[in-house]
Amino acid sequence: MRLALLGCGTVGSEVVRLLHSQSADLAARIGAPLEIAGIAVRRIGRDRGELPVDPTVFTADPFDLVKRDDIDVVVECVGGIEPARSWLVEALRAGKSVVTANKALLAEDGGSLHDAAAQGGGDLYYEAAVAGAIPLLRPLRESLHGDRVTQVTGIVNGTTNFILSAMDSTGAGFAEALAEATELGYAEADPTADVEGFDAAAKAAILASLAFHTRVGAADVHREGITEVTAADVASAKAMGCTIKLLCIAGRGTAADGRETVSVRVHPAMIPLTHPLASVGDAFNAVFVEAEAAGQLMFYGPGAGGAPTASAVLGDVVAVSRNRLAGVRAASESAYADLPVRPMGEALTRYHISLDVTDRPGVLAAVAGVFAQNDVSIATVRQGAAGSGTAGRDEDADLVIVTHVAPDAALAATVQALRGLDAVRSVASVLRVEGSA
Ligand code: NDP
Ligand code: HSE
């Protein structure tokens, strides 16, 4: 089996190392030896340390490499939409099999890759694209195909989980926790994709597509990041017996006209400490899958890093290589259900709302009236004095309100109306609450 490796950075270099150290076992498992025929990189002369590979296999021309007739499998560890899409479409149309870790591309335009694979007859595998080393896509794509998945809830971004875990354990604010994550190498120099939720949204789209047999793209995912989460939110969550996590939530639902739908969202949320995802700390990932017959399944492990991600890549390389030797291809994309994506406004959730209000008679009634007007039921109200600590007439007070479950649109309208209320000086924070307490 002759491989073309595109990219030799954090993940690609570990793929090379693992291929070398496991070569005899991999050959035995596949039934043929794996050989790296070429490695495409951006900077040929870059110092790559002690890499166990013939230096002459490096090229700066990925297109030339994927077009070669002697290549069986293209392994893409570069990332980004273009030129990666063009390389992979070219390879797939020519009948090569592709293994990729590129979640951004799969979420943006997975359809083009699946179509090209169907046209060329090769395999398209991408286990490493979601939750790094954790075997998750194969179970969704194969093991659970006899069942009906109803909900997928996960922590799929290690960087933000590290930041939120640090805020929870030390009481630090977002900026301080992000600085620590950067110093320890968890966050990239530009952390936007992680902290604004783009990375998790791409993974959510991939998970939803597989779970619900529907093409879901990044644009279908409601996305909010963690930059607005404050130390006060974390403290408030603790007071409720909760912790804050950046969740990806994908589930089936029913539209007003009775049609089945899917909804896919990524946002920070308070979850009770008793929830299976609450104890997932540091940079770990975990995904909770609920299926009608199987019940509740939990997948947990390292979601990033060179070696863990290379493990998933190599697992795919073995699978597609075996298929090629056997002259078969795995089942292709399953998107037959083609379910419509429900707008965020229809998602059912709960809000935790912190208000700065004037402490005088009638304020609580006025605030409660806004909830009633929007058909949102209040579950709990907690009032604490702000400022001097001796709440009195016309002083400030903090009001923390947690709602019962309601459509997100009604909850958002409630918050909007609260902002316009005379007695409300400011809406200090709004966070969703997920999982039953
Ligand atoms: P890196 O930035 O470490 O490596 C990227 C590699 O691609 C480098 O070798 C670079 O070359 C090469 N490259 C970049 N642009 C080009 C180009 N135009 N032509 C040829 N080669 C190019 O990325 P990672 O290894 O971290 O990530 C790779 C993929 O894996 C991404 O899709 C990422 O989302 C995914 N992934 C990463 C995880 C992780 O923990 N890092 C986890 C899960 C998935 P050069 O070395 O010369 O700069
Ligand atoms: N930036 C990603 C994370 C890498 O923090 O989880 C793995 O996809």
Side-chain angles (χ1 to χ4, degrees):
M1 278 297 138
R2 288 172 63 79
L3 308 189
L5 177 62
L6 311 182
C8 193
T10 306
V11 177
S13 60
E14 288 302 325
V15 168
V16 171
R17 288 194 182 91
L18 207 51
L19 258 167
H20 179 76
S21 65
Q22 305 287 323
S23 63
D25 283 325
L26 291 171
R29 289 171 201 162
I30 291 167
L34 287 173
E35 185 190 336
I36 297 181
I39 302 179
V41 291
R42 195 174 28 189
R43 297 161 289 174
I44 294 249
R46 182 181 172 189
D47 178 7
R48 298 176 197 279
E50 292 284 305
L51 259 196
V53 70
D54 174 359
T56 63
V57 297
F58 282 94
T59 169
D61 191 343
F63 244 120
D64 187 55
L65 181 57
V66 298
K67 282 181 179 160
R68 272 169 48 180
D69 290 337
D70 62 329
I71 302 293
D72 297 295
V73 178
V74 173
V75 180
E76 190 258 316
C77 300
V78 172
I81 311 302
E82 282 295 349
R85 172 171 45 198
S86 301
W87 302 331
L88 299 191
V89 165
E90 169 74 30
L92 287 163
R93 282 196 185 138
K96 298 175 172 78
S97 295
V98 163
V99 173
T100 176
N102 191 338
K103 60 239 168 180
L105 173 56
L106 286 156
E108 176 72 21
D109 193 14
S112 291
L113 301 187
H114 284 293
D115 292 347
Q119 199 181 326
D123 278 327
L124 171 63
Y125 273 48
Y126 44 92
E127 183 66 63
V130 183
I134 307 172
L136 173 63
L137 302 193
R138 203 81 62 83
L140 283 172
R141 174 174 167 154
E142 294 174 12
S143 322
L144 285 164
H145 262 200
D147 207 336
R148 186 170 185 274
V149 176
T150 52
Q151 172 111 358
V152 179
T153 311
I155 295 169
V156 291
N157 183 270
T159 306
T160 48
N161 203 47
F162 180 89
I163 292 170
L164 291 172
S165 301
M167 289 173 74
D168 189 81
S169 59
T170 66
F174 169 75
E176 203 184 325
L178 171 61
E180 188 191 355
T182 309
E183 195 180 312
L184 294 174
Y186 289 107
E188 294 186 28
D190 177 1
T192 311
D194 293 320
V195 299
E196 296 292 357
F198 290 102
D199 177 79
K203 293 165 178 169
I206 295 168
L207 288 174
S209 300
L210 292 172
F212 308 123
H213 306 275
T214 291
R215 272 188 189 175
V216 177
D220 297 317
V221 182
H222 173 86
R223 175 195 54 79
E224 294 170 32
I226 64 163
T227 53
E228 308 284 311
V229 177
T230 63
D233 292 332
V234 174
S236 200
K238 277 191 175 171
M240 282 174 56
C242 289
T243 187
I244 299 176
K245 296 290 183 189
L246 181 69
L247 295 185
C248 122
I249 304 173
R252 293 181 189 267
T254 311
D257 63 4
R259 276 187 314 159
E260 185 168 42
T261 59
V262 292
S263 78
V264 195
R265 49 191 165 112
V266 165
H267 54 71
M270 293 184 181
I271 52 172
L273 293 173
T274 50
H275 192 284
L277 294 175
S279 56
V280 177
D282 296 331
F284 282 91
N285 283 191
V287 178
F288 192 59
V289 176
E290 296 169 71
E292 276 183 1
Q296 300 181 329
L297 308 166
M298 178 97 164
F299 299 83
Y300 170 85
T309 309
S311 162
V313 169
L314 256 294
D316 280 355
V317 168
V318 170
V320 303
S321 300
R322 277 187 188 146
N323 286 350
R324 288 187 83 81
L325 278 180
V328 297
R329 94 179 264 260
S332 56
E333 181 194 22
S334 174
Y336 70 89
D338 198 19
L339 299 175
V341 178
R342 197 162 74 238
M344 182 60 189
E346 292 176 23
L348 296 177
T349 184
R350 300 164 67 203
Y351 272 21
H352 170 285
I353 304 167
S354 298
L355 303 173
D356 293 337
V357 298
T358 318
D359 196 3
R360 59 177 154 75
V363 167
L364 201 51
V367 167
V370 169
F371 284 80
Q373 281 152 23
N374 287 283
D375 206 18
V376 172
S377 177
I378 293 173
T380 61
V381 180
R382 187 159 47 87
Q383 181 176 332
S388 65
T390 51
R393 206 164 269 265
D394 286 335
E395 288 184 359
D396 280 353
D398 299 329
L399 213 50
V400 176
I401 299 171
V402 181
T403 72
H404 282 299
V405 168
D408 196 78
L411 292 161
T414 305
V415 172
Q416 192 57 29
L418 287 170
R419 289 188 208 281
L421 215 58
D422 271 354
V424 174
R425 299 208 167 154
S426 71
V427 177
S429 87
V430 178
L431 268 171
R432 294 187 183 82
V433 182
E434 296 290 335
S436 48

